[in-house]
Amino acid sequence: SIGVDIERFRFRQHQNDELSHYASGCWDAESKVDEKWIEITGFAYRGCYDLKKHQEHSEEDYTVFKEYDEPVKEEVTEVSPDMGYLGPEYGDEAGKIVDRIQEKAETDPEAFEETDIEVEVNGQKYSIPEDKYNFEKKTVTRNGEHILPHIVEPSFGIDRIVYTVLAHSYGEDEVDSEKRKVLHLSEEVAPTEVAVFPMMDKDGMGQKAEEVAERLRDAGFSVKYDDTGNIGKRYRRQDEVGTPYCITIDYETLEDKPETVTIRDRDSTEQERVEISGLEEEISSRL
């Protein structure tokens, strides 16, 4: 998780009056920020609208062949109109009449058991004699079908996602009777993973802290070194920017054999002493 509060997150389906002309359906991922729901991502199901329009205007075939796992047998109807009769008889309407006859063969094959076939074109009804078309039912084996691919269009706004993470991560509490502002950022998105402080910049603590900071950088961690102000203010600064852990070098560090440091957890503020020799492994296990 990058820090979005699941209790303030939802998927909302668009109502029909919200849909764009090209969309068959649409869902938004929304987060609640400042008591308002805002869209952070959208997912529009465009169906085959785009490719169908391209196909219509370019006269190119955009279908793809989808092969079945196993061949399928199915009964089909075929109708072959007598164009030698339909053309001269109906002129410009002949092509449309043929289309209607073929549609009828697919949707209502039983109608072809009648003597004549009746179809309608532009409100005009036409009766086609039985001897002016050939109708046949047969079984064919299909290995697949041509389909027009459908499109799902995701839309992401990185600014709103970051805004949501910051808003959901922000909190206030009290530490040692003082009000604290803290950013509970996930370790995965925190700009700084570890801050390193000397308790005081004297008696070798500053030098040792710089050595520890450099050691952690070499191990691949993002590290902030800070020796400005008292230790409490330094903790607060790192809490406000979301740094998960702070490491402090103090007099015990210089006295202990083997050397140790304290690791402070941002969220609980609890501190624990660990050996410097295993510091990289300790931090990795926490992140």
Side-chain angles (χ1 to χ4, degrees):
S1 170
I2 62 172
V4 176
D5 180 5
I6 196 64
E7 297 298 325
R8 290 180 281 174
F9 176 84
R10 71 182 184 186
F11 283 101
R12 185 183 69 84
Q13 184 177 16
H14 283 210
Q15 301 301 308
N16 289 335
D17 59 357
E18 296 179 272
L19 293 175
S20 300
H21 66 281
Y22 55 77
S24 302
C26 187
W27 288 79
D28 286 342
E30 298 181 334
S31 66
K32 195 173 187 180
V33 177
D34 297 331
E35 301 305 317
K36 295 181 181 179
W37 289 99
I38 62 171
E39 174 195 343
I40 53 177
T41 64
F43 303 88
Y45 174 51
R46 302 178 69 105
C48 61
Y49 177 86
D50 301 272
L51 291 180
K52 185 177 181 181
K53 289 298 182 182
H54 282 304
Q55 188 166 266
E56 288 176 359
H57 293 284
S58 68
E59 297 183 354
E60 296 287 339
D61 182 11
Y62 289 103
T63 62
V64 295
F65 185 74
K66 180 181 179 182
E67 187 173 354
Y68 298 145
D69 293 335
E70 295 181 358
V72 174
K73 290 185 177 182
E74 60 182 38
E75 188 177 81
V76 298
T77 57
E78 291 186 356
V79 60
S80 303
D82 182 357
M83 293 305 296
Y85 164 77
L86 294 179
E89 182 71 17
Y90 300 110
D92 293 340
E93 299 296 325
K96 296 178 182 178
I97 291 173
V98 170
D99 290 340
R100 297 297 178 271
I101 293 174
Q102 291 175 337
E103 290 173 4
K104 198 175 189 72
E106 294 175 1
T107 60
D108 187 17
E110 303 303 323
F112 286 81
E113 296 177 1
E114 302 174 4
T115 302
D116 298 336
I117 288 298
E118 189 175 88
V119 295
E120 184 175 324
V121 175
N122 297 328
Q124 177 69 41
K125 292 184 178 180
Y126 298 91
S127 182
I128 312 302
E130 183 181 11
D131 61 348
K132 300 305 179 184
Y133 65 84
N134 180 48
F135 176 77
E136 180 183 8
K137 288 184 178 180
K138 61 181 181 180
T139 300
V140 297
T141 300
R142 299 192 187 281
N143 294 315
E145 62 181 316
H146 286 274
I147 62 172
L148 200 57
H150 288 202
I151 293 174
V152 175
E153 176 192 21
S155 175
F156 292 82
I158 189 64
D159 53 345
R160 292 189 180 186
I161 295 175
V162 172
Y163 177 43
T164 294
V165 170
L166 292 175
H168 288 191
S169 299
Y170 178 79
E172 295 181 0
D173 57 17
E174 283 192 4
V175 175
D176 298 329
S177 300
E178 292 185 4
K179 187 174 182 179
R180 177 179 74 141
K181 297 178 180 179
V182 57
L183 206 55
H184 298 281
L185 289 176
S186 165
E187 291 87 347
E188 296 179 356
V189 297
T192 302
E193 295 173 315
V194 185
V196 178
F197 312 143
M199 178 67 72
M200 293 176 286
D201 191 11
K202 66 178 185 178
D203 298 332
M205 284 183 282
Q207 180 180 350
K208 176 59 69 174
E210 289 179 349
E211 291 176 4
V212 170
E214 191 62 29
R215 173 175 175 166
L216 293 176
R217 290 192 187 100
D218 290 342
F221 298 103
S222 57
V223 180
K224 172 70 175 179
Y225 178 84
D226 188 0
D227 60 6
T228 305
N230 65 53
I231 195 71
K233 290 183 178 179
R234 281 179 267 170
Y235 284 147
R236 296 296 179 271
R237 284 200 291 267
Q238 295 306 313
D239 291 342
E240 288 187 14
V241 297
T243 303
Y245 299 103
C246 293
I247 295 174
T248 302
I249 284 74
D250 53 19
Y251 281 111
E252 286 188 54
T253 303
L254 306 179
E255 296 168 356
D256 286 347
K257 299 297 180 184
E259 295 176 322
T260 63
V261 294
T262 62
I263 295 184
R264 174 186 179 272
D265 182 275
R266 174 198 64 205
D267 296 336
S268 68
T269 72
E270 292 181 357
Q271 299 186 43
E272 180 182 353
R273 295 203 75 86
V274 299
E275 294 182 8
I276 291 180
S277 60
L279 192 55
E280 295 91 333
E281 292 78 7
E282 179 66 30
I283 295 173
S284 294
S285 69
R286 296 176 181 232
L287 291 175

